[in-house]
Amino acid sequence: MIYSLLVLSSPCSGQACATALHFAQAVIHRGHQIHRVFFLDDGTLTGAASMVSPQDEADTVRQWADFGVHQSVELVLCVSSALKRGMLDQSEADRYEKAAATVHPSFEIAGLGQLIDASFTSDRLITFGG
Amino acid sequence: MPTTEKKSLLVVVRRSPYGSSLARTSLEVALSGTTFEQDVGVLFMGDGVLHLLPGQDTGALGVRNIAKLIASFPLYELDSLFADETALRHHGIAQHQALPQNIEWLDTGAIAELLTRYDHIMSF
């Protein structure tokens, strides 16, 4: 079965973002596929390359980034949600003349169309957080 | 291989219009769905029915007016609109006050039935 995930919550508030990651890992473990993980609203903070987790807490950003690379799963941040929260890749940082890119390279920035596309390319679309 | 046929999508709006960014985001998701010619519905539930209050003025808030976004739905042929009549009564809003007027008012049983009619549900 093909799954896509929609993540609405920040990794630094509540458990939803981490629960989504655990769900994604379980989906792969069970032999299913993940087409795309779409991060929307506060969920886009999951791509924050500069986020520093306390040493005794899970580093959810790094875990997501590793998951995306190792499992070849697209991790997409909604562009309008991302920009409002200062989440910029290099091209957006250049476009808006901001000091630096802030998005981890394992994530990409794209429009809401990628969420809609994921919904009709997948058998299941599961929402986390909000 | 992924199946790419069109699937129906119900966006469930449970947030009050100006209490969190998710409210506007959820409506933008619905509009985005229509640009892919998907069958998109919007269900206003709980505090989400406050989106339907007339006379919204966001000048002092410094944010865009969500009522104007909803008023643009017909331009996108987004006309499958539903709302929770129990929540409306809870908030003391009369059905004839609510905008837009082409909303279908549903009781709890009808909402449960509606949720089974769509391929995907995105709840905000």
Side-chain angles (χ1 to χ4, degrees):
Chain A
M1 193 170 274
I2 300 170
Y3 286 81
S4 283
L5 274 53
L6 170 62
V7 180
L8 302 175
S9 292
S10 153
C12 34
S13 176
Q15 287 298 306
C17 185
T19 302
L21 175 66
H22 299 151
F23 180 86
Q25 289 165 335
V27 164
I28 302 282
H29 185 68
R30 287 288 192 95
H32 301 293
Q33 298 172 48
I34 295 192
H35 173 64
R36 181 173 296 141
V37 182
F38 194 87
F39 298 88
L40 182 62
D41 205 73
D42 281 349
T44 54
L45 292 167
T46 310
S50 52
M51 197 175 285
V52 180
S53 295
Q55 281 189 349
D56 53 352
E57 288 187 16
D59 185 346
T60 309
V61 172
R62 185 185 55 77
Q63 289 179 346
W64 266 117
D66 290 348
F67 174 81
V69 170
H70 293 145
Q71 303 298 338
S72 300
V73 168
E74 282 180 46
L75 306 176
V76 179
L77 310 180
C78 169
V79 62
S80 60
S81 297
L83 291 180
K84 271 194 279 192
R85 291 167 176 79
M87 303 296 300
L88 310 170
D89 59 14
Q90 193 60 55
S91 71
E92 298 292 350
D94 292 343
R95 187 200 317 263
Y96 293 100
E97 299 180 342
K98 299 296 182 186
T102 48
V103 168
H104 190 287
S106 297
F107 294 79
E108 59 187 284
I109 292 179
L112 274 177
Q114 293 293 303
L115 171 62
I116 304 303
D117 171 78
S119 78
F120 60 68
T121 311
S122 306
D123 301 305
R124 294 283 186 271
L125 174 73
I126 316 284
T127 304
F128 294 86
Chain B
M1 288 296 290
T3 51
T4 53
E5 78 267 25
K6 299 279 188 274
K7 291 181 180 171
S8 57
L9 167 66
L10 182 68
V11 173
V12 182
V13 180
R14 296 178 292 124
R15 305 295 176 131
S16 63
Y18 305 103
S20 75
S21 54
L22 265 181
R24 188 182 184 90
T25 299
S26 61
L27 298 177
E28 288 172 349
V29 168
L31 287 173
S32 183
T34 64
T35 63
F36 283 74
E37 297 177 346
Q38 289 211 115
D39 174 13
V40 179
V42 179
L43 167 63
F44 296 92
M45 280 185 79
D47 290 347
V49 299
L50 294 170
H51 282 86
L52 311 175
L53 275 173
Q56 295 178 36
D57 179 356
T58 61
L61 295 179
V63 297
R64 284 182 285 172
N65 190 323
I66 294 187
K68 287 184 180 168
L69 186 69
I70 294 173
S72 75
F73 282 3
L75 299 174
Y76 299 89
E77 297 179 1
L78 179 50
D79 46 20
S80 298
L81 305 179
F82 310 93
D84 174 359
E85 65 177 18
T86 310
L88 196 78
R89 275 202 306 278
H90 173 76
H91 284 289
I93 308 169
Q95 279 192 17
H96 70 270
Q97 286 183 300
L99 293 174
Q101 290 182 331
N102 62 330
I103 286 198
E104 196 174 327
W105 296 94
L106 305 177
D107 62 19
T108 306
I111 289 172
E113 194 276 328
L114 179 75
L115 295 174
T116 66
R117 290 200 335 237
Y118 284 82
D119 295 317
H120 289 305
I121 294 170
M122 292 191 209
S123 181
F124 295 88

